[in-house]
Amino acid sequence: MTNDFQHRDDALNQELQQLVNEAKRYPADSENATDRAKRRIALNKLINAIRCAGRLSQQTQWLGLPNYEDYYNEALQHTFIEICRHIEQYNPQYPVMAWVNQIFRRRFYDVVKKDQKRGITLLPKNQENTQVLSLDELNKDLPVENEISEQEQLKEIIENDPEDFLNNEYIKEHPQASLKAILLLVLEGKQWKEISEELGVPISTASSFYQRRMHKIITYLKKYI
């Protein structure tokens, strides 16, 4: 049984190393458009193979965190970006997945620490006076001519939620604490303490959940403004 497992690992590593070597054949700064395209194809195949390999670390040391799934996905995206940008740094003396999981572990740590630091700045000691990031901030990223700051127009879009996206994005194990519910409370001018009490989730969890999805919110609302 152990030999079978080792054989599968060896076969996987051989496959991944072939894709790594294929990508390395085409320099990232090549002036040849065909070479750049071939590099992208090889890197895409490599990333897909890594995803399907079933050998990505679960980062169990972080499992207890409320935003574990979000952290995992964000760290994984950063890992794939780093792999694509620095594929030449891979040392063939080591298995490809060992290199991948080493990067993944570092990026996971970075994501967690960044979010914890952001949480501290979002939650001053006097939490009763903590201000929720206003949806007016969306104006910086949305077309000015659409007048997104008009509260009624924005409220109508959020309530209708054409793709049911805002309603389906909610804090794990707290379906009542959806993006839709949070956004409507934000529109009412609620503070984090009030939002926390109304939805029955910790202030830091609600705040982090909202802030980390701001880009998704902007992208979604842009479609209907």
Side-chain angles (χ1 to χ4, degrees):
M1 191 72 172
T2 302
N3 288 338
D4 288 344
F5 186 80
Q6 184 62 48
H7 178 73
R8 288 197 297 271
D9 269 6
D10 289 343
L12 170 64
N13 189 56
Q14 185 175 4
E15 176 192 352
L16 295 178
Q17 283 193 337
Q18 287 175 349
L19 291 171
V20 169
N21 292 334
E22 178 69 14
K24 284 183 175 182
R25 286 179 55 193
Y26 309 105
D29 58 355
S30 173
E31 295 182 1
N32 187 305
T34 301
D35 284 352
R36 293 198 303 272
K38 288 181 178 179
R39 178 184 174 93
R40 284 196 300 272
I41 291 170
L43 288 171
N44 285 337
K45 288 181 179 179
L46 174 63
I47 296 304
N48 287 333
I50 291 171
R51 282 185 182 276
C52 298
R55 296 291 189 272
L56 279 165
S57 169
Q58 291 301 305
Q59 305 297 332
T60 54
Q61 68 270 37
W62 306 107
L63 271 174
L65 296 176
N67 294 320
Y68 167 80
E69 188 176 344
D70 290 334
Y71 293 149
Y72 189 97
N73 291 330
E74 183 175 345
L76 192 57
Q77 291 306 312
H78 287 307
T79 299
F80 289 153
I81 290 171
E82 185 167 339
I83 288 170
C84 291
R85 288 179 177 172
H86 304 293
I87 193 68
E88 282 77 16
Q89 293 180 6
Y90 167 67
N91 185 341
Q93 288 183 316
Y94 303 98
V96 175
M97 287 309 304
W99 178 62
V100 171
N101 281 319
Q102 182 182 48
I103 296 172
F104 190 20
R105 185 164 53 252
R106 292 198 299 263
R107 297 295 77 80
F108 206 110
Y109 177 85
D110 291 344
V111 168
V112 171
K113 292 306 174 184
K114 180 185 72 175
D115 198 53
Q116 287 177 345
K117 184 176 180 181
R118 179 172 16 180
I120 292 172
T121 61
L122 287 172
L123 300 171
K125 292 180 181 179
N126 182 8
Q127 291 185 335
E128 292 188 7
N129 294 324
T130 301
Q131 294 296 315
V132 178
L133 178 62
S134 169
L135 282 178
D136 284 342
E137 292 295 317
L138 293 174
N139 293 340
K140 298 176 182 177
D141 298 283
L142 292 168
V144 175
E145 63 270 17
N146 288 321
E147 296 295 338
I148 184 64
S149 59
E150 291 184 5
Q151 191 162 322
E152 288 305 314
Q153 181 188 9
L154 188 55
K155 183 178 180 181
E156 182 179 349
I157 294 170
I158 294 170
E159 287 179 337
N160 289 336
D161 193 10
E163 298 172 30
D164 214 25
F165 165 72
L166 301 175
N167 199 44
N168 287 329
E169 282 276 315
Y170 57 83
I171 296 171
K172 191 175 182 180
E173 298 181 358
H174 295 280
Q176 80 283 4
S178 65
L179 271 182
K180 183 174 183 177
I182 293 174
L183 286 166
L184 290 174
L185 291 172
V186 168
L187 276 179
E188 293 176 17
K190 301 283 187 180
Q191 297 179 348
W192 281 123
K193 185 175 186 299
E194 297 169 297
I195 293 174
S196 168
E197 292 172 350
E198 188 154 340
L199 298 179
V201 294
I203 295 175
S204 58
T205 301
S207 170
S208 175
F209 175 79
Y210 174 70
Q211 302 293 344
R212 289 169 64 80
R213 285 161 179 76
M214 185 56 69
H215 178 70
K216 287 185 177 181
I217 295 169
I218 292 170
T219 301
Y220 181 63
L221 293 179
K222 272 183 177 180
K223 298 180 186 179
Y224 301 101
I225 298 301

